[in-house]
Amino acid sequence: MDLHARQILDSRGNPTIEIEMKGKNGISIGHAPAGASTGANEAIEKRDGGKSYFGKSVMENVKLVNGELNQKVKQFNGNWQEYEAWIISENKNNRLGGNTTTALSIAGSKHYASEKNQPFHQWMHEMYCPNEKYILPVPFFNIINGGKHAGNNLAIQEYMLVPTGAESFSQALEYGSEIYHTLKQILAKKYGPTSTNVGDEGGFALPEGDVFKPLELILMAAEQIGLKDKISLAIDAAATSFFADGKYMVSNKQLSTMELAEVYKKMTKDYPIISLEDPFEENDMVGFNHLTSQIGNKVQIVGDDILCTNEHLVQKALDAKACNALLLKVNQAGTVSQSLNASKLAHKNNWSVMVSHRSGETEDPFISELAVGINSRQIKSGAPARAERTAKYNQLLRIEERLAQSDNTPFEYAGRNFRKI
Ligand code: PGA
Ligand code: ZN
């Protein structure tokens, strides 16, 4: 085994680390994505500071990998679990940073799959859920952007279109793309052509402050092309980003926790919403618990910032009955195995798991392989547009085709069973 790192750019144009691991079957590559609406308990990135790239360079990390870590890895002949444990042991006092551990872990995990001559999703599936049928995840397409991902007045960060009524992943992608383009026309007519400019995840950043309006507009687009009964809706409020001084700032009003809960209840009553992510800020356990107990049986309440893909925080949320689904982001945990610890605990307790990209992404479709590998049944990777987003959806098309071509591998599209464990 041999390591080589370099600095590359992510989708927002910020530097990030790329790590290659060379083995007998070729080179396996790992990248670190980056969030904008980050949780306080996420693995901490390490950046150089100083002048280069306004302090965001990762050249110190690159040097560490190419020097000291490569020397150590050359002597290493342990298995995948031992490799993962080694990364954690090297990261004492955050010496490497969560960005470096993420890239090391993804490169290494791909390497161990390649040693077995298996595609990553197959290698992971045999390890994580060997007796289960393969499930292609339902895509959650974020087609209207607000919050920290857009420059508009929309408090809610993500409005997602979910093709639960499609028959296959490829049909889901087709529905997603058709509705995205129809919505674009509707917005251009209603708000003018600049309203179709997009945010960080490829969704339209329209000049709108009313948090209900995007739901109506997406349904209108779906209805116009006869797909209304094929789709559901979801939001990621990322509420930490509009919380200040004990209040939530929504549509120019300051709301208490309970007032905001009423907004969500009305939304889920009036619209076909199946999933609410981060409806409250990350310490508002009262809000999370209230919403989960009131509507958690019909709507999944997804924890992102409150869980940070951390098994201890999942346990805490289980004890507090705060939510019923985990958002899985590998770079929040810092390694693949730590994120799997969180998802195993979630699955064991009948939570659902949604594998997620970050708003600052790269072209690597690793999360698609991971989502199929752990039968997460759900994935979110932004709009069905922009190469760093479509890279993930396109990889799922390839996996779907591969599974369809292999006679003895049963598989299905999660569809309306997106929550079944
Ligand atoms: P982030 O956004 O990558 O900026 O954190 C994604 C999310 O909040 O789910
Ligand atoms: Zn989120």
Side-chain angles (χ1 to χ4, degrees), residues 195-267:
S195 67
T196 62
N197 291 342
V198 299
D200 286 352
E201 298 189 352
F204 303 118
L206 58 151
E208 178 61 69
D210 177 350
V211 292
F212 285 85
K213 198 75 191 170
L215 300 167
E216 211 172 283
L217 291 164
I218 296 172
L219 284 187
M220 199 188 289
E223 185 159 32
Q224 196 170 308
I225 53 171
L227 292 176
K228 198 173 165 193
D229 62 332
K230 303 286 186 197
I231 64 149
S232 309
L233 300 175
I235 63 169
D236 176 7
T240 310
S241 60
F242 56 86
F243 178 78
D245 304 325
K247 294 277 185 192
Y248 294 95
M249 193 69 186
V250 179
S251 306
N252 282 328
K253 286 198 202 97
Q254 285 198 322
L255 304 182
S256 67
T257 294
M258 288 305 151
E259 286 167 338
L260 183 57
E262 291 308 312
V263 171
Y264 295 129
K265 283 186 218 165
K266 183 167 168 44
M267 271 185 181

Side-chain angles (χ1 to χ4, degrees), residues 380-419:
K380 71 165 190 174
S381 178
R386 307 283 143 186
E388 77 281 7
R389 313 295 151 191
T390 55
K392 282 59 165 178
Y393 299 132
N394 291 341
Q395 186 70 5
L396 286 164
L397 290 177
R398 294 181 196 105
I399 296 173
E400 183 179 59
E401 187 181 290
R402 178 184 167 270
L403 291 173
Q405 281 167 355
S406 101
D407 296 338
N408 45 16
T409 315
F411 74 99
E412 63 188 37
Y413 170 61
R416 297 192 200 280
N417 293 325
F418 68 99
R419 274 183 97 175

Side-chain angles (χ1 to χ4, degrees), residues 273-409:
I273 291 182
I274 54 166
S275 181
L276 292 173
E277 181 182 332
D278 280 0
F280 301 98
E281 64 94 18
E282 61 198 42
N283 297 306
D284 192 345
M285 283 291 175
V286 172
F288 270 97
N289 172 279
H290 173 78
L291 208 59
T292 302
S293 70
Q294 297 260 311
I295 59 171
N297 55 346
K298 66 174 183 113
V299 178
Q300 74 176 8
I301 309 294
V302 185
D304 174 9
D305 289 358
I306 60 157
L307 303 176
C308 288
T309 318
N310 175 311
E311 68 173 315
H312 303 293
L313 296 179
V314 171
Q315 187 58 56
K316 213 171 128 190
L318 277 164
D319 296 341
K321 296 191 170 57
C323 51
N324 56 32
L326 163 75
L327 194 78
L328 189 162
K329 292 166 165 170
V330 173
N331 80 322
Q332 279 184 330
T335 56
V336 173
S337 54
Q338 284 168 298
S339 44
L340 295 187
N341 291 343
S343 77
K344 278 181 204 151
L345 184 57
H347 275 148
K348 205 173 95 195
N349 287 281
N350 290 329
W351 279 18
S352 24
V353 174
M354 188 189 296
V355 171
S356 172
H357 67 156
R358 299 308 304 248
S359 52
E361 260 298 328
T362 77
E363 59 275 25
D364 185 9
F366 175 73
I367 59 164
S368 309
E369 297 280 330
L370 184 65
V372 176
I374 67 167
N375 273 1
S376 68
R377 293 172 180 262
Q378 308 179 23
I379 190 167
K380 71 165 190 174
S381 178
R386 307 283 143 186
E388 77 281 7
R389 313 295 151 191
T390 55
K392 282 59 165 178
Y393 299 132
N394 291 341
Q395 186 70 5
L396 286 164
L397 290 177
R398 294 181 196 105
I399 296 173
E400 183 179 59
E401 187 181 290
R402 178 184 167 270
L403 291 173
Q405 281 167 355
S406 101
D407 296 338
N408 45 16
T409 315

